[in-house]
Amino acid sequence: MTVFIIRRLLASVVLLFFISLISFFIITLTPGSPYPWGELNPKVSEDVKRIFREKFHLDKPLHEQYGFIMRDLFTGELRSIKDERPVLAKIAERLPATLALNLGALALSLSFGLLLGVYGARHAGRPPDVITSVLAFVFIALPGFWVSYLLAIGLVNYLAVPILGTHTIGVTFSNGLEVFLDRWWHVMLPASILAIGGVAVQSRFIRASMIETLREDYIRTARAKGLDENAVFYRHALRNSVRPLITGIGMLLPALIGGAVIIENIFAYPGMGRLGYEAVLERDYPTLVALNFVTAALVLLGNLLADVLYAVVDPRVRLE
Amino acid sequence: MITTTPEPLEVAASPMERSLRRFRANKIGLCALGMVGLLAVIAVAFFVLDVLGIPWPMDPDATNLERKLLPPDSVNWLGTDNLGRDVFSRLLNGAYISLTVGFVAVFVSLFIGVTVGAVAGYFGKWVDNLIMRFVDAIMCFPTFFLILTAVALVGPSIFNIIIVIGLVSWTGTARLVRAEFLTLRESAYVQAARTLGQRGPKIIFRHMLPNAAAPILVTAVLGVPEAILAEAGLSFLGFGVQPPQATWGNIIADGKTYILDAWWLILFPGLAILIAALSFYLTGDALRQAVETRSERQ
């Protein structure tokens, strides 16, 4: 067990190094001006450009730039070009909202994906399965921003569901429960829309995994000894096919966080996706490097936790 | 006297024939494939009309301020936008953008993914280890955000969008090809080719790649809608193909200001994206079922 965790930790450090390289090079290797004001702006004097280059180490060779950026990132000294605030602080203040949104969407994806997938596998090959399969592909094919607008029209016109921000502005609640419920209402809609694709992907994996498990010898044994179909299905097959729940986390998180960029914009939700979009608009390089790095690191952490959790639950994993 | 003609011996169907037969039996898959074909015809037809300068049913870029924000009627079948442009014409005209982005981006990502996966799977050992750790690292990145960052930095144009989507989305293909190659390289015919002294590239492209073609084709088809959706998302955020060229994403993006007054500006382009993406997904899924050897044992 300990060996397994240590080995995974070491692998993660290697991955983290690659992640830092990629997030640095995506910014520096793409052509285009590094200045937030455009290369040929006549109002910006050479001196200002020089000071700017020195300040953000843009006058150094690439490998030294990488060193500086990573050092600054880890010491918390990396500052945004736009407002010169430490990038990590900017990310940290967005983190709770982002976690609420993405973990909410993840939980929805996993739970509804499981339900839909199990239902499909239960009726494999028959009409209910065909319908849920097509439905799953409809879910995957739905553009999130389109659903957001359609739902927003409907919900605003017919149901009084709050759709902007993280909480109702200008209202003071008397107790913590009301504050919590208010925030819950606000995160519900974006999280559900974000989760639509995840539910579908997850249901496909669960269904495939269930059908695979149902062909195993021990399922035949269970049936042969006269267990009724429900017991075979839920007690024997289901337990052995929940692997996609774990691998799903690794597959879904990057898609969720990426998709959140659009959804957060529509719902004026102050998460990291919106921060990223603002940084993109302002060509705020330090923030972009840090955001790409931090989100990828978060995904990595999620994977690591899931793996370890899975190894704790399922003894077969450690043998691999 | 009864003469019995001997029944013709059943010739064992090749795997390809069996796959084709299975695909033909899949009604949903056939419908989806038909839809993909229809979309391709529309895209090509309207691209040609656009190049020839024949506006049909109307000029997609012609503004008419007297007829702005009108709901669907007999003149403008799907309504008009805030500049009085015909939404139906713009939708048809935007089709080739979506399909071009879808196909070409997939081609780019296949090229990278197959090469990387083949090298990793063929050489194995530390090469494989190094490459796959790199792939793992890329997979940690939030895909859409990575695409958005890169497109914003290089500047949005259809060429840049295609390249960036392709550069970001090859990791799945690489993993798949690598896994196929790891099994294939132990197979007898690859061993034989190696014994005969054939060189690496020849073994990879002549012997191994054709045998991994089926799953690669499946990922390719399933990759097209991903690219279409990514382009739509970029267009929506204003980093897609730039106006006045109509794309399904930017019609919605322009229409969102009028969301409460002009639902047709949101509904129809979104439906177009949904139908296109769904057709490709269902075709890809039917293909996957057709070529999957495991399902034969069912």
Side-chain angles (χ1 to χ4, degrees):
Chain A
M1 190 68 213
T2 331
V3 177
F4 171 81
I5 294 178
I6 290 174
R7 214 169 51 209
R8 290 285 295 128
L9 270 176
L10 284 178
S12 299
V13 172
V14 177
L15 278 185
L16 207 61
F17 171 67
F18 277 126
I19 286 173
S20 71
L21 272 184
I22 298 167
S23 40
F24 172 70
F25 280 115
I26 186 95
I27 309 294
T28 45
L29 289 190
T30 43
S33 156
Y35 311 116
W37 50 73
E39 192 80 51
L40 296 170
N41 189 336
K43 286 186 186 156
V44 182
S45 71
E46 268 313 309
D47 282 343
V48 174
K49 284 188 186 171
R50 190 178 45 76
I51 293 169
F52 180 83
R53 276 199 300 270
E54 274 169 17
K55 191 164 182 181
F56 295 102
H57 312 297
L58 293 171
D59 50 347
K60 303 277 186 339
L62 274 186
H63 63 276
E64 279 183 39
Q65 281 189 36
Y66 169 78
F68 276 119
I69 281 205
M70 284 306 138
R71 188 202 64 193
D72 288 352
L73 179 60
F74 280 103
T75 51
E77 273 305 302
L78 193 65
R79 280 164 195 280
S80 157
I81 287 181
K82 185 193 158 208
D83 53 11
E84 310 229 337
R85 287 182 56 213
V87 171
L88 283 184
K90 290 178 79 163
I91 293 179
E93 66 192 27
R94 303 292 184 108
L95 200 58
T98 285
L99 285 181
L101 179 65
N102 286 292
L103 291 182
L106 187 68
L108 286 172
S109 306
L110 294 180
S111 49
F112 282 93
L114 182 70
L115 285 177
L116 205 62
V118 167
Y119 181 78
R122 187 75 219 242
H123 302 273
R126 292 196 299 276
D129 175 39
V130 177
I131 293 169
T132 48
S133 290
V134 173
L135 196 69
F137 282 108
V138 172
F139 281 1
I140 302 177
L142 277 174
F145 56 91
W146 184 60
V147 182
S148 308
Y149 275 108
L150 292 185
L151 278 182
I153 300 177
L155 291 178
V156 170
N157 281 345
Y158 303 109
L159 298 166
V161 171
I163 59 167
L164 293 181
T166 52
H167 55 277
T168 313
I169 297 164
V171 178
T172 25
F173 293 106
S174 52
N175 57 43
L177 182 67
E178 282 181 352
V179 173
F180 174 77
L181 282 179
D182 181 51
R183 285 176 182 260
W184 169 262
W185 262 117
H186 278 84
V187 83
M188 264 266 292
L189 185 62
S192 314
I193 293 170
L194 200 52
I196 292 175
V199 169
V201 172
Q202 197 58 26
S203 79
R204 298 302 295 165
F205 283 133
I206 295 276
R207 178 185 170 278
S209 160
M210 282 294 289
I211 289 176
E212 187 114 323
T213 311
L214 285 170
R215 287 192 205 132
E216 297 283 345
D217 287 342
Y218 58 80
I219 297 295
R220 196 181 312 143
T221 311
R223 283 193 180 127
K225 74 178 184 187
L227 278 186
D228 74 295
E229 197 54 29
N230 277 329
V232 172
F233 202 80
Y234 294 107
R235 210 177 304 151
H236 292 266
L238 186 58
R239 280 192 191 181
N240 284 299
S241 30
V242 290
R243 186 106 200 229
L245 281 184
I246 306 298
T247 39
I249 296 176
M251 308 268 298
L252 290 176
L253 269 183
L256 289 179
I257 298 178
V261 177
I262 296 181
I263 303 294
E264 286 180 12
N265 253 303
I266 295 173
F267 292 102
Y269 192 85
M272 274 157 65
R274 207 170 145 73
L275 182 66
Y277 182 65
E278 286 158 6
V280 164
L281 288 179
E282 286 145 0
R283 300 181 81 88
D284 188 350
Y285 285 66
T287 308
L288 285 176
V289 175
L291 260 180
N292 272 303
F293 180 79
V294 170
T295 45
L298 279 179
V299 172
L300 189 66
L301 184 70
N303 278 335
L304 186 68
L305 285 178
D307 270 0
V308 171
L309 190 75
Y310 200 61
V312 173
V313 178
D314 189 341
R316 287 175 301 183
V317 174
R318 264 167 276 159
L319 303 172
E320 284 169 19
Chain B
M1 201 174 95
I2 306 162
T3 50
T4 50
T5 44
E7 284 211 1
L9 277 177
E10 184 139 347
V11 183
S14 73
M16 174 77 110
E17 283 166 348
R18 268 178 289 163
S19 297
L20 268 179
R21 206 174 292 163
R22 270 199 299 267
F23 189 83
R24 260 187 247 124
N26 189 336
K27 298 224 173 49
I28 296 175
L30 280 180
C31 289
L33 185 64
M35 203 55 223
V36 167
L38 184 68
L39 283 169
V41 170
I42 290 177
V44 172
F46 281 86
F47 178 68
V48 172
L49 284 178
D50 195 39
V51 171
L52 294 177
I54 306 169
W56 190 90
M58 285 183 198
D59 184 354
D61 300 328
T63 57
N64 179 358
L65 291 178
E66 285 176 10
R67 289 186 56 81
K68 63 172 187 176
L69 292 174
L70 289 181
D73 58 21
S74 56
V75 183
N76 303 99
W77 294 350
L78 299 182
T80 60
D81 68 1
N82 57 319
L83 296 174
R85 295 176 296 192
D86 181 43
V87 173
F88 186 52
S89 307
R90 288 179 73 70
L91 274 188
L92 292 172
N93 196 255
Y96 83 87
I97 299 279
S98 290
L99 291 205
T100 311
V101 170
F103 279 110
V104 186
V106 161
F107 191 76
V108 174
S109 92
L110 271 193
F111 182 76
I112 306 173
V114 168
T115 315
V116 172
V119 168
Y122 181 78
F123 292 103
K125 304 198 185 87
W126 66 269
V127 181
D128 176 44
N129 217 331
L130 186 72
I131 291 179
M132 290 330 281
R133 288 300 78 72
F134 186 67
V135 169
D136 286 346
I138 295 186
M139 287 184 119
C140 285
F141 282 91
T143 323
F144 186 76
F145 186 52
L146 202 58
I147 295 176
L148 177 69
T149 311
V151 167
L153 294 182
V154 290
S157 75
I158 185 164
F159 178 77
N160 288 344
I161 290 168
I162 288 173
I163 295 295
V164 169
I165 294 180
L167 278 176
V168 170
S169 53
W170 53 270
T171 47
T173 317
R175 272 195 168 179
L176 178 104
V177 173
R178 168 199 174 252
E180 291 285 321
F181 268 45
L182 281 180
T183 13
L184 284 179
R185 73 187 197 135
E186 305 303 330
S187 66
Y189 60 86
V190 173
Q191 301 286 352
R194 210 175 284 155
T195 321
L196 287 172
Q198 283 187 357
R199 301 174 66 81
K202 191 169 183 192
I203 299 180
I204 290 179
F205 290 107
R206 197 59 191 284
H207 299 292
M208 297 170 82
L209 209 49
N211 281 289
I216 294 176
L217 178 71
V218 173
T219 44
V221 176
L222 291 175
V224 174
E226 307 272 339
I228 291 179
L229 288 171
E231 189 275 328
L234 283 176
S235 281
F236 176 75
L237 288 181
F239 287 99
V241 180
Q242 294 299 295
Q245 173 62 54
T247 75
W248 295 342
N250 73 20
I251 300 175
I252 300 184
D254 293 344
K256 70 186 176 202
T257 329
Y258 311 98
I259 177 175
L260 292 174
D261 308 311
W263 50 267
W264 55 92
L265 285 177
I266 309 278
L267 185 71
F268 298 123
L271 272 181
I273 299 172
L274 171 64
I275 290 171
L278 184 62
S279 313
F280 278 100
Y281 276 126
L282 290 176
T283 309
D285 189 55
L287 268 181
R288 186 187 55 73
Q289 286 173 23
V291 299
E292 212 164 58
T293 39
R294 243 182 326 196
S295 56
E296 276 178 60
R297 272 189 265 133
Q298 256 182 331

